[in-house]
Amino acid sequence: MGDIPHDLLQEIKRLEGLFSVDTEQLKAISNHFVSELQRGLSSEGGDIPMNPTWCMGFPTGHETGTFLALDMGGTNLRVCEINLPEERGIFDIIQSKYRIPEELKSGTADELWGYIADCLKQFIEYHHEGEKLDTLALGFTFSYPATQDYIDHGVLQRWTKGFDIEGVEGKDVVPPLEKALDERGVPIKLTALINDTTGTLIASAYTDPEMKIGCIFGTGCNAAYVEICGNIPKLSHMNLDPNEEMVINCEWGAFDNAHKILPRTQYDIIIDKDSPRPGQQCFEKMIAGLYLGELFRLVLVDLHENRRASFLEGADISPLKKPYSLDASFLSDIENDPYENLQETHDMLVNLMKITPTKPELELIRRLAELIGARSARLSACGVAAICKKKGYKNAHVGADGSVFNKVCLLFHSPWSAAY
Ligand code: GLC
């Protein structure tokens, strides 16, 4: 970084100060996280909902049959047909992905359920053309905070991940989807509603009996883990066997909504304020895929406009001013730029944002991408460390999935042991 002008270097230092979370802070965050997990299980409750899933059985690996799974994530809808043969822990899977159109995320409930049922119908017609099908059992992975009661209703508490569809919050999401399927005559019976973290945990447990935690690092971020009923005071009135196990869907995206410990920057505050649900999902808004590109964009716009240093001087940055115009994968592409002169980063910025940064500006841009990715990974590690601390695990298998886990740089940055 020798050739970087002094004012830009100062800005890099400022950003490093803002986005770095050191080991001591990580430990303090994990410890606070443990007490918040506990509070969520108590009758009083806290920021983290700690939803009982009523998922109390675990696969043995000997299950057999053909099942459908529908995964409604933040960006895509995935339909899978899974075949479990006799052989233990083995499975075959066919799947199709459908993009959730942006306008649907703020459209009507009927449009949403109709779209999902149409995708399922298309899937069946494509993969089973002309076949006479028995009714297939469908597990619906609904990756939003839905509280289940013990007779398996799934009431959506609140939308997360930028969704804002009226008339769904506070309602059971199963009957309207069943109705849309019936109307289309699709031979499917909806048999289970599950969060994606619980799904990840259970699916991973099918192949690995040591599995204890399921995590999603994707558009949103969350985890589920195995608790004993005796540790869930808010269910004590149900007189469950205290030693029986139940999966808890933490909904940890809501960690620190009370702003007690997370080192929020001015950019995090803007993201929250301009989101459809201000004040909610504080932790998620600092770490999840939906927000990483936006954080990066907000910093760049601020650097250009606040003129503490000369940055993209004289450039027309109007394309960069469009909210949510940068995807989290943009950050991983920058981090993965193999060229010393950051040629790929330069070309991406020219093509996508119509800006032509200088070499020192590219250096700052790369450092910023690393800082945002590293902060996301380090804070995510606090959640995993907190569950392990709460349960007293020295070793645990964690199943993980999601676009940020698969594509962004969690693996380079994750300080699991620092956070513990
Ligand atoms: C959001 C949702 C949560 C989901 C997570 C990962 O945090 O509220 O239910 O598990 O995203 O998709």
Side-chain angles (χ1 to χ4, degrees), residues 197-198 200-201 204 211-216 222-225 397-400:
T197 53
T198 311
T200 300
L201 173 58
S204 312
M211 201 54 65
K212 294 283 191 271
I213 301 174
C215 285
I216 300 288
N222 186 19
Y225 76 104
H397 290 186
V398 179

Side-chain angles (χ1 to χ4, degrees), residues 229-242:
C229 293
N231 283 348
I232 317 177
K234 65 182 175 186
L235 296 184
S236 61
H237 60 284
M238 302 192 89
N239 297 321
L240 304 165
D241 173 353

Side-chain angles (χ1 to χ4, degrees), residues 12 15-16 34 150 166 195 241 243 273 283 297 299 328 347 361 386:
I12 293 180
L15 294 171
E16 285 175 343
V34 175
Y150 62 98
E166 245 181 74
N195 186 258
D241 173 353
N243 295 316
K273 192 168 62 56
F283 184 55
R297 187 192 72 80
V299 177
D347 294 352
E361 287 167 350

Side-chain angles (χ1 to χ4, degrees), residues 99 102 271 289-298 300-301 317-331 348-349 351-355:
R99 184 113 194 147
E102 261 332 289
I271 289 213
L290 178 58
Y291 307 102
L292 296 183
E294 181 63 0
L295 265 172
F296 178 79
R297 187 192 72 80
L298 286 171
L300 294 188
V301 171
I317 65 155
S318 37
L320 192 61
K321 286 206 153 168
K322 186 164 170 253
Y324 289 89
S325 49
L326 293 179
D327 209 77
S329 60
F330 193 70
L331 304 198
M348 282 189 300
L349 286 162
N351 295 334
L352 263 166
M353 292 292 139
K354 313 280 173 255
I355 49 181

Side-chain angles (χ1 to χ4, degrees), residues 18-86:
L18 278 180
F19 285 98
S20 303
V21 195
D22 65 24
T23 302
E24 211 172 299
Q25 273 175 298
L26 291 179
K27 288 197 196 305
I29 294 169
S30 305
N31 288 335
H32 185 58
F33 215 126
V34 175
S35 61
E36 287 298 303
L37 294 174
Q38 229 122 21
R39 223 153 65 86
L41 293 172
S42 72
S43 327
E44 298 76 45
D47 284 349
I48 308 183
M50 302 297 274
N51 291 337
T53 63
W54 299 97
C55 177
M56 309 180 83
F58 293 85
T60 58
H62 292 292
E63 292 74 11
T64 56
T66 298
F67 305 92
L68 285 179
L70 164 72
D71 177 13
M72 182 182 154
T75 314
N76 294 311
L77 202 67
R78 221 168 5 143
V79 182
C80 307
E81 186 178 308
I82 301 117
N83 181 35
L84 308 179
E86 294 288 335

Side-chain angles (χ1 to χ4, degrees), residues 20-27 29-30 217 373-386 409-420:
S20 303
V21 195
D22 65 24
T23 302
E24 211 172 299
Q25 273 175 298
L26 291 179
K27 288 197 196 305
I29 294 169
S30 305
F217 304 103
R375 187 185 73 160
S376 162
R378 292 175 80 84
L379 293 178
S380 305
C382 292
V384 178
C409 34
L410 274 186
L411 288 181
F412 309 155
H413 298 301
S414 272
W416 309 105
S417 55
Y420 190 88

Side-chain angles (χ1 to χ4, degrees), residues 57-259:
F58 293 85
T60 58
H62 292 292
E63 292 74 11
T64 56
T66 298
F67 305 92
L68 285 179
L70 164 72
D71 177 13
M72 182 182 154
T75 314
N76 294 311
L77 202 67
R78 221 168 5 143
V79 182
C80 307
E81 186 178 308
I82 301 117
N83 181 35
L84 308 179
E86 294 288 335
E87 219 175 320
R88 189 183 181 285
I90 300 294
F91 61 91
D92 296 322
I93 186 164
I94 47 174
Q95 55 178 316
S96 301
K97 225 157 104 174
Y98 307 85
R99 184 113 194 147
I100 302 177
E102 261 332 289
E103 59 278 11
L104 216 66
K105 295 183 183 173
S106 51
T108 69
D110 281 350
E111 281 162 0
L112 174 73
W113 304 122
Y115 178 77
I116 297 178
D118 285 338
C119 291
L120 281 162
K121 183 162 190 256
Q122 239 188 58
F123 180 90
I124 297 276
E125 284 171 355
Y126 181 76
H127 292 286
H128 296 281
E129 202 190 337
E131 286 173 46
K132 173 101 193 66
L133 277 187
D134 285 338
T135 301
L136 284 167
L138 169 74
F140 179 17
T141 306
F142 185 65
S143 313
Y144 303 85
T147 42
Q148 268 123 310
D149 63 26
Y150 62 98
I151 42 174
D152 225 22
H153 293 277
V155 173
L156 173 67
Q157 289 174 306
R158 63 203 148 74
W159 283 118
T160 52
K161 296 187 277 200
F163 271 77
D164 192 15
I165 301 173
E166 245 181 74
V168 189
E169 283 181 337
K171 301 231 171 84
D172 188 347
V173 297
V174 171
L177 179 56
E178 280 176 330
K179 181 166 164 271
L181 288 169
D182 277 355
E183 283 166 2
R184 286 160 182 78
V186 190
I188 290 178
K189 178 162 172 44
L190 219 171
T191 52
L193 181 82
I194 195 167
N195 186 258
D196 52 355
T197 53
T198 311
T200 300
L201 173 58
I202 297 297
S204 312
Y206 174 75
T207 52
D208 178 354
E210 296 301 309
M211 201 54 65
K212 294 283 191 271
I213 301 174
C215 285
I216 300 288
F217 304 103
T219 306
C221 180
N222 186 19
Y225 76 104
V226 185
E227 190 52 277
I228 49 167
C229 293
N231 283 348
I232 317 177
K234 65 182 175 186
L235 296 184
S236 61
H237 60 284
M238 302 192 89
N239 297 321
L240 304 165
D241 173 353
N243 295 316
E244 198 172 353
E245 292 182 324
M246 188 193 301
V247 176
I248 297 290
N249 162 21
C250 302
E251 288 296 335
W252 76 19
F255 171 60
D256 205 33
N257 282 350
H259 307 317

